[in-house]
Amino acid sequence: GITVAGGRGLACDPRSGLVAYPAGPGARSGGPLAAPHPSLLPQSGHMPAVRVWDVAERSQVAELQEHKYGVACVAFAPSAKYIVSVGYQHDMSINVWAWKKNSVVASNKVSSRVTAVSFSEDCSYFAPKVNATVPLLGRSGLLGELRNNLFTDVACGRGRRADSTFCITASGLLCQFSQRRLLDKWVELRVSPPTTVAHCISVSQDCIFCGCADGTVRLFNPSNLHFLSTLPRPHALGTDVASVTEASRLFSGVANAKYPDTIALTFDPTNQWLSCVYNDHSLYVWDVRDPKKVGKVYSALYHSSCVWSVEVYPEVKDGSQARLPPGNLPPPPSLSALWGPRADGPPGDTRLGIRSVCISPNGQHLASGDRVGTLRVHELQSLSEMLRVEAHDSEILCLEYSKPDTGLKLLASASRDRLIHVLDAGRQYSLQQTLDEHSSSITAVKFAGDCRDGQVRMISCGADKSIYFRTAQKSGAGVQFTRTHHVVRKTTLYDMDVEPSWKYTAIGCQDRNIRIFNISSGKQKKLFKGSQGEDGTLIKVQTDPSGVYIATSCSDKNLSIFDFSSGECVATMFGHSEIVTGMKFSNDCRHLISVSGDSCVFVWRLSSEMTIGMRQRLAELRQRGGPPRDPRLRGRTTLGR
């Protein structure tokens, strides 16, 4: 993923061309950031510290702590000897660090919000971008008639214009300040079509690059501010990029098309490449050697907003029938085919898009539910749409296929409209039953049981603090579920998973506890804390394929892994900048995959001891011919034996 929010969230090493950007709260090579040194990358964030990393060794080499409330932006001096850091508005401080000595060599106060800072080429001064003024050498630039403008980014000149400072305003003006802090000249960025908002600026010896709204990047001559050219725009919003086979089609003009805003720029002087990040979280690299003939070098697409659900492709017994290698995530084409509604709104529009996905156990079908209640089923090989039905009046919060051991081929969809629809996947997804017992949003629905003992059950929980246990009754007309147990607790129930023996279900609750219920009796058997913190709420729970561990995500943005039998916490992870909205263990028990509201997908490597323990349990289950029926067979696994 990529979480660049502004011009300071993208950096390039001028020697190697290495580009860095943030993914979540951290930085990824390939974050506020700057990198004039071939192996060092400073990083700032909400934790009030500036951390310097050795990129080659992937290790932290310095941690600079002085700011109280957070670091808004950071920049290396071109000599790499100093770092300047600017605190949040309430911090009111600007520090210059001799970072190798971990000491502050200069400090000053600023009363306004600062969102950008740029060093001069000779290291004689730096210019932070303040909301209404542009301070130069510790004093505000003289703005004259432009004093009421909102400045959005700043960059110091290079080469022959090293004594100048360039700024852009939100209204679309490019301004040049002289060495004496005077407003030397300014031009409008509007050429055709009109551009009303400018977001970011990057300066080289030969060009000034201005990133504007609607995917526009203008090029100007730094000597006289004359207009040079306009870069091609990226793909239009709503374009299915995976279906485009010719580059000319991707950039061909479309009537009334909307394009993502350009929010960050960085220039690579070695290769003469300009990297652009747009607010739909796409990254494009352009070859700008010849401003009149700009070509695309590379592009990368990421989720543009919150990722709500993640699925791992199942292990299919008949390998010839598999649509993907086992353990893979669905490929980008299948996901992009589901994001059709995104074309009707801007990036990050939370009213649109897919809310939940689920892959059938045979790996043939991908079911998805969107934010307006539409249920879709796609055939994974051709990505053709098999089913599209307006199943619910509100967003579909969860989807679940029945496992092959149940002897049934069912799909259950549950929604915020309090309904559960049960469809028969073996009969062209015909509707079998609608259940309306819940009085509020349904947060999770699961199938459990084995056809060999005649007990196939469905469990559901919701915001009404209720858990319903139902048993399947087969008839000539199909399958009907009847309620066998109804349990109410004093806390909201947010998520649920069934461990592989199909005997117990684990439920994540608002009070941060995990409650374990016996599926047959409906009685609670165990309760333990599902988070190491003292604040927040459990959002998601997920058992591993062997049932040895259970992973949880909390609203404090952290993940934890617990021993399912003892409730002991064996691992805690943090890295997402927003709440984790989905988790899955990989089929080989080596990784945990998490997705979040920060639009990022993280793959966590589990310890070898945990992997060994899970694989041993799986081997025991296979030797017994399936999940154990006797709870005594499900003893605790000793890690590392």
Side-chain angles (χ1 to χ4, degrees):
I2 184 170
T3 52
V4 174
R8 299 304 99 184
L10 192 64
C12 178
D13 182 350
R15 296 175 177 85
S16 66
L18 182 71
V19 174
Y21 58 84
R28 173 179 174 181
S29 293
L33 299 174
H37 192 279
S39 61
L40 298 176
L41 178 71
Q43 173 192 356
S44 66
H46 282 284
M47 294 185 67
V50 177
R51 293 178 174 84
V52 184
W53 301 83
D54 188 307
V55 177
E57 299 295 331
R58 298 189 179 187
S59 61
Q60 181 176 303
V61 295
E63 182 174 348
L64 315 174
Q65 291 184 324
E66 188 69 27
H67 296 284
K68 295 181 179 179
Y69 301 104
V71 184
C73 51
V74 63
F76 257 125
S79 65
K81 184 178 180 181
Y82 299 106
I83 292 175
V84 61
S85 63
V86 184
Y88 284 175
Q89 183 173 356
H90 297 291
D91 195 273
M92 299 176 63
S93 63
I94 298 178
N95 295 326
V96 179
W97 302 83
W99 65 271
K100 293 181 180 179
K101 300 178 180 178
N102 198 10
S103 63
V104 177
V105 298
S107 182
N108 209 334
K109 294 290 184 180
V110 59
S111 58
S112 299
R113 179 170 174 255
V114 179
T115 57
V117 63
S118 178
F119 251 106
S120 66
E121 193 172 42
D122 61 359
C123 302
S124 63
Y125 71 93
F126 61 87
K129 192 286 298 177
V130 186
N131 265 2
T133 61
V134 182
L136 304 174
L137 297 170
R139 296 172 293 172
S140 296
L142 303 180
L143 301 176
E145 61 184 285
L146 301 183
R147 61 184 178 274
N148 294 323
N149 274 270
L150 176 65
F151 288 86
T152 56
D153 205 357
V154 61
C156 294
R158 297 289 182 263
R160 297 186 301 272
R161 305 305 304 177
D163 58 346
S164 297
T165 302
F166 301 94
C167 310
I168 54 173
T169 70
S171 59
L173 299 179
L174 170 61
C175 306
Q176 178 182 341
F177 289 85
S178 68
Q179 193 174 22
R180 296 182 297 163
R181 303 184 298 116
L182 297 175
L183 179 60
D184 205 2
K185 58 175 73 78
W186 56 273
V187 296
E188 293 187 358
L189 297 178
R190 293 193 293 260
V191 184
S192 179
T195 298
T196 57
V197 179
H199 295 287
C200 51
I201 186 173
S202 182
V203 177
S204 71
Q205 294 188 18
D206 302 315
C207 285
I208 302 173
F209 307 95
C210 301
C212 308
D214 207 32
T216 303
V217 179
R218 310 281 194 217
L219 277 63
F220 293 86
N221 189 322
S223 299
N224 49 26
L225 299 192
H226 287 178
F227 172 74
L228 296 178
S229 67
T230 299
L231 260 62
R233 288 175 173 171
H235 59 277
L237 292 174
T239 302
D240 183 3
V241 178
S243 66
V244 178
T245 56
E246 297 179 5
S248 58
R249 283 186 54 202
L250 182 62
F251 302 110
S252 57
V254 180
N256 301 319
K258 297 179 180 179
Y259 296 88
D261 295 348
T262 311
I263 59 173
L265 300 170
T266 187
F267 180 70
D268 172 10
T270 302
N271 298 302
Q272 296 288 301
W273 292 349
L274 182 71
S275 299
C276 306
V277 173
Y278 302 89
N279 70 342
D280 69 341
H281 292 192
S282 60
L283 168 67
Y284 278 74
V285 180
W286 305 96
D287 187 335
V288 292
R289 284 187 179 89
D290 182 357
K292 300 297 183 182
K293 190 178 180 181
V294 175
K296 192 191 83 163
V297 178
Y298 171 81
S299 64
L301 306 178
Y302 304 95
H303 286 285
S304 62
S305 59
C306 176
V307 184
W308 286 107
S309 183
V310 61
E311 283 288 308
V312 175
Y313 193 78
E315 292 181 329
V316 180
K317 293 182 179 179
D318 184 359
S320 63
Q321 298 297 316
R323 300 295 185 248
L324 296 170
N328 276 21
L329 300 178
S334 65
L335 290 180
S336 61
L338 300 177
W339 276 92
R342 183 177 160 208
D344 300 330
D349 191 336
T350 57
R351 299 169 299 173
L352 305 172
I354 303 302
R355 183 62 169 80
S356 55
V357 295
C358 190
I359 300 176
S360 63
N362 62 8
Q364 304 293 308
H365 301 159
L366 175 65
S368 64
D370 67 18
R371 301 301 301 271
V372 296
T374 302
L375 172 65
R376 298 177 179 85
V377 178
H378 285 76
E379 201 280 323
L380 267 178
Q381 176 139 22
S382 63
L383 298 179
S384 59
E385 188 174 87
M386 301 173 55
L387 176 72
R388 180 190 178 103
V389 58
E390 295 179 4
H392 296 274
D393 294 332
S394 187
E395 60 181 341
I396 299 175
L397 298 179
C398 49
L399 295 167
E400 177 74 2
Y401 277 100
S402 60
K403 301 297 185 289
D405 296 301
T406 63
L408 302 174
K409 296 181 179 180
L410 301 178
L411 171 65
S413 67
S415 167
R416 200 177 291 277
D417 65 2
R418 310 186 305 277
L419 298 179
I420 299 176
H421 295 310
V422 182
L423 296 86
D424 190 339
R427 298 182 179 179
Q428 298 182 341
Y429 290 93
S430 60
L431 180 64
Q432 294 292 298
Q433 188 178 10
T434 296
L435 301 164
D436 59 357
E437 294 154 311
H438 283 278
S439 60
S440 188
S441 300
I442 302 167
T443 54
V445 59
K446 297 290 180 181
F447 291 102
D450 194 326
C451 63
R452 288 174 288 185
D453 59 17
Q455 298 294 320
V456 178
R457 295 181 175 88
M458 177 199 292
I459 312 101
S460 63
C461 65
D464 57 2
K465 306 177 183 179
S466 293
I467 311 167
Y468 287 95
F469 298 85
R470 306 175 185 87
T471 302
Q473 305 291 335
K474 294 184 179 180
S475 65
V479 177
Q480 295 289 308
F481 285 90
T482 58
R483 184 173 65 187
T484 52
H485 304 288
H486 176 208
V487 180
V488 179
R489 287 295 178 263
K490 295 182 179 180
T491 182
T492 302
L493 313 171
Y494 280 116
D495 195 27
M496 171 179 57
D497 200 15
V498 175
E499 50 85 36
S501 74
W502 304 309
K503 185 174 180 62
Y504 299 105
T505 181
I507 299 179
C509 306
Q510 186 180 25
D511 60 4
R512 300 189 307 283
N513 286 319
I514 298 175
R515 289 173 166 82
I516 309 296
F517 288 86
N518 185 296
I519 295 175
S520 298
S521 65
K523 294 181 179 180
Q524 182 175 315
K525 294 298 182 181
K526 191 184 302 183
L527 178 146
F528 56 88
K529 279 289 184 183
S531 171
Q532 294 295 93
E534 296 300 323
D535 298 315
T537 260
L538 287 189
I539 303 296
K540 289 291 180 181
V541 295
Q542 181 69 40
T543 59
D544 75 85
S546 68
V548 175
Y549 299 107
I550 181 169
T552 67
S553 72
C554 187
S555 57
D556 63 4
K557 308 170 189 176
N558 291 345
L559 296 94
S560 301
I561 299 178
F562 296 85
D563 186 293
F564 192 93
S565 298
S566 68
E568 176 188 358
C569 182
V570 297
T572 300
M573 298 157 285
F574 59 91
H576 285 287
S577 59
E578 297 294 341
I579 61 171
V580 175
T581 52
M583 300 178 296
K584 284 290 182 180
F585 284 90
S586 62
N587 295 332
D588 61 6
C589 302
R590 295 177 58 191
H591 300 97
L592 176 67
I593 303 161
S594 62
V595 296
S596 166
D598 60 16
S599 78
C600 294
V601 180
F602 283 5
V603 180
W604 306 88
R605 183 170 54 249
L606 303 177
S607 68
S608 58
E609 291 83 359
M610 296 177 67
T611 298
I612 291 171
M614 289 184 279
R615 288 179 173 178
Q616 286 177 343
R617 173 59 56 80
L618 284 173
E620 293 172 4
L621 295 179
R622 293 189 182 101
Q623 287 176 0
R624 298 183 186 123
R629 307 294 180 270
D630 188 340
R632 292 174 296 179
L633 297 178
R634 206 184 166 281
R636 180 180 174 185
T637 297
T638 302
L639 298 184
R641 72 180 172 181

